[in-house]
Amino acid sequence: MNALELLTTRRSSKKLAAPAPNAGQLKIMLQAATQVPDHGNMRPFKFTVIQSETGLTRFRGLLRQTVTELNFSEESMQKAEKVGHMAPMVIGVTFAPNQNVPKPKPEWEQMLSAACSAYALQLAATAQGFDNVWITGLWTNSPFLREAFHCGEKDKIVGLIMVGTSDGETGGPKNTDLDSFVTYW
């Protein structure tokens, strides 16, 4: 798959199964995630890789704990179970603002860099034949996941990248009518 094909056809898939990327493939994904524009090497991102059965069990427990302790609905518990079993690998992407550089940039600019790193993870996974989806919602605000991901006071979980092998169809490109998105001057 060439770069343009990757960029114009990548789609999310919520039906993911084993296999997940191996150690070498994961390293390539993480390397890609650290090559994004980051305003002079500020590196305002961290990654938490959840892939072992022990790690996935802990992750599922934290999702359930989020629902229980924050008094969310039964529907939320069903979503927690679904998310917890969605993929054989989960990569938590955390925005960690960096002000310890000679010329710090605004935090919102740094957060964009962290979001780019999440997308780069997705692209690198897809380029290696794996499917994925970027999950947010109430999970990214979970105090229990924040603690498990060692988030500082200003850190934010920007997403959970679920990675595996597609268990279903992902379809073709989703935005083919560019006229509704583009204005030419």
Side-chain angles (χ1 to χ4, degrees):
M1 171 180 298
N2 70 45
L4 288 177
E5 182 182 359
L6 173 65
L7 290 168
T8 58
T9 62
R10 192 214 67 82
R11 294 292 306 264
S12 294
S13 177
K14 292 184 179 181
K15 296 181 179 182
L16 301 166
N22 63 34
Q25 293 162 324
L26 175 61
K27 184 175 181 179
I28 291 169
M29 291 166 55
L30 293 168
Q31 182 67 33
T34 64
Q35 301 306 303
V36 299
D38 67 354
H39 303 294
N41 217 18
M42 294 187 76
R43 298 183 301 272
F45 35 72
K46 300 186 299 186
F47 308 99
T48 303
V49 179
I50 305 164
Q51 61 185 344
S52 68
E53 195 52 47
T54 302
L56 289 167
T57 299
R58 179 178 177 205
F59 174 67
R60 293 173 189 133
L62 291 168
L63 295 178
R64 286 191 297 274
Q65 184 179 9
T66 299
V67 172
T68 302
E69 302 226 3
L70 299 180
N71 295 314
F72 291 140
S73 67
E74 179 58 35
E75 181 183 345
S76 294
M77 185 61 81
Q78 291 170 358
K79 287 181 182 178
E81 291 299 325
K82 182 178 178 181
V83 168
H85 291 88
M86 188 176 286
M89 177 183 282
V90 179
I91 304 172
V93 180
T94 303
F95 159 61
N98 183 353
Q99 298 301 323
N100 299 322
V101 292
K103 295 181 181 179
K105 299 294 183 195
E107 287 185 12
W108 71 268
E109 289 186 26
Q110 294 185 53
M111 187 180 290
L112 294 176
S113 187
C116 287
S117 72
Y119 186 53
L121 274 172
Q122 288 189 288
L123 292 174
T126 302
Q128 296 181 88
F130 296 98
D131 292 291
N132 54 81
V133 63
W134 181 339
I135 300 293
T136 57
L138 62 99
W139 316 118
T140 58
N141 293 315
S142 164
F144 309 106
L145 281 178
R146 286 181 49 77
E147 182 179 341
F149 290 2
H150 305 288
C151 289
E153 182 182 333
K154 291 188 170 190
D155 295 0
K156 297 185 184 319
I157 300 171
V158 295
L160 303 170
I161 308 300
M162 317 301 268
V163 184
T165 301
S166 180
D167 197 20
E169 281 294 315
T170 56
K174 60 184 175 182
N175 298 321
T176 55
D177 178 14
L178 299 178
D179 291 338
S180 61
F181 300 101
V182 181
T183 300
Y184 296 94
W185 286 27

